[in-house]
Amino acid sequence: KQEVTQIPAALSVPEGENLVLNCSFTDSAIYNLQWFRQDPGKGLTSLLLIQSSQREQTSGRLNASLDKSSGRSTLYIAASQPGDSATYLCAADFLSSGSARQLTFGSGTQLTVLP
Amino acid sequence: SQTIHQWPATLVQPVGSPLSLECTVEGTSNPNLYWYRQAAGRGLQLLFYSVGIGQISSEVPQNLSASRPQDRQFILSSKKLLLSDSGFYLCAWLTGNTGELFFGEGSRLTVL
């Protein structure tokens, strides 16, 4: 069964700290891996998409990496701010998901940045 | 640019009543469309996806159904709601070129 796991479920850090969120997946045959942010009561906002052929993507203070061989992706947030507080989810688009592209989601890491 | 709209944003319904949630996408044609549910404290569960008009695939057996009457319209329905149908429902579409998934703002359903 293809699964995506995110540990820890919750993380609390002081403002200004650099931090890493982890995502692991069970099958290295993926189209891409995507990171999302979800604020309470809101939909998911796409942060970064890493194609299978790429090793990392950057957007502002965010950097996502992909290591297919180990089945891992990380989201690095530099100089964290209270506004970064949200739940971060990763999702993998597995090659064998069938006739239509489907993403398999992790359960998310709830990040709290303390001022 | 492409946008995705969902409504209603919030819905409170009694057990046994019908449901209709609507999702429309603008700025693209023939998108892959998805309905997800996010229950409290749980991850995202894929309910239905559609690759074209009238083409619906169900991932989870339940009392919900989906329809795609037009290219950019995706509807989630139920004839009789259950308490367990409460949750946050999210519509999403997948870009054909990059495979990036974009979500609507969600519809929160409370069944009493």
Side-chain angles (χ1 to χ4, degrees):
Chain A
K1 181 181 177 182
Q2 296 162 332
E3 294 182 343
V4 176
T5 304
Q6 291 184 253
I7 296 173
L11 180 65
S12 185
V13 301
E15 181 177 5
E17 189 166 297
N18 302 326
L19 61 101
V20 174
L21 304 180
N22 296 299
C23 172
S24 61
F25 45 95
T26 54
D27 186 348
S28 63
I30 60 173
Y31 282 113
N32 57 49
L33 188 131
Q34 198 168 348
W35 281 92
F36 297 87
R37 168 184 173 139
Q38 185 176 28
D39 293 290
K42 301 293 186 180
L44 279 69
T45 300
S46 178
L47 296 175
L48 289 165
L49 173 74
I50 312 176
Q51 300 286 0
S52 175
S53 59
Q54 299 171 324
R55 294 192 64 84
E56 65 177 343
Q57 282 286 337
T58 298
S59 176
R61 294 183 293 110
L62 305 180
N63 176 276
S65 68
L66 176 65
D67 183 346
K68 289 192 302 178
S69 61
S70 65
R72 300 172 79 172
S73 176
T74 61
L75 179 67
Y76 174 83
I77 302 177
S80 59
Q81 303 170 359
D84 295 329
S85 298
T87 297
Y88 291 81
L89 297 97
C90 68
D93 188 354
F94 292 107
L95 284 170
S96 57
S97 58
S99 60
R101 304 275 289 273
Q102 302 176 30
L103 271 67
T104 301
F105 283 81
S107 54
T109 295
Q110 185 175 359
L111 173 66
T112 302
V113 181
L114 303 170
Chain B
S1 63
Q2 302 90 353
T3 57
I4 181 168
H5 302 284
Q6 265 188 258
W7 69 91
T10 306
L11 199 58
V12 180
Q13 293 285 104
V15 169
S17 64
L19 171 73
S20 180
L21 301 178
E22 190 162 341
C23 171
T24 59
V25 181
E26 297 177 357
T28 186
S29 59
N30 197 30
N32 281 11
L33 296 174
Y34 304 81
W35 277 112
Y36 286 88
R37 178 169 61 198
Q38 189 175 39
R42 298 178 63 181
L44 279 161
Q45 179 186 37
L46 179 63
L47 301 176
F48 301 94
Y49 66 88
S50 171
V51 298
I53 295 174
Q55 301 179 61
I56 308 296
S57 296
S58 174
E59 289 295 302
V60 182
Q62 57 208 328
N63 70 319
L64 299 173
S65 63
S67 62
R68 187 167 175 177
Q70 301 180 41
D71 181 44
R72 289 172 286 179
Q73 184 184 30
F74 204 21
I75 298 172
L76 182 69
S77 304
S78 175
K79 293 182 179 178
K80 289 185 178 181
L81 284 168
L82 307 173
L83 287 174
S84 58
D85 291 325
S86 293
F88 193 47
Y89 290 82
L90 291 153
C91 180
W93 72 281
L94 190 78
T95 63
N97 49 353
T98 64
E100 190 168 3
L101 194 67
F102 294 97
F103 282 85
E105 280 298 307
S107 298
R108 181 156 308 277
L109 170 66
T110 302
V111 182
L112 302 174

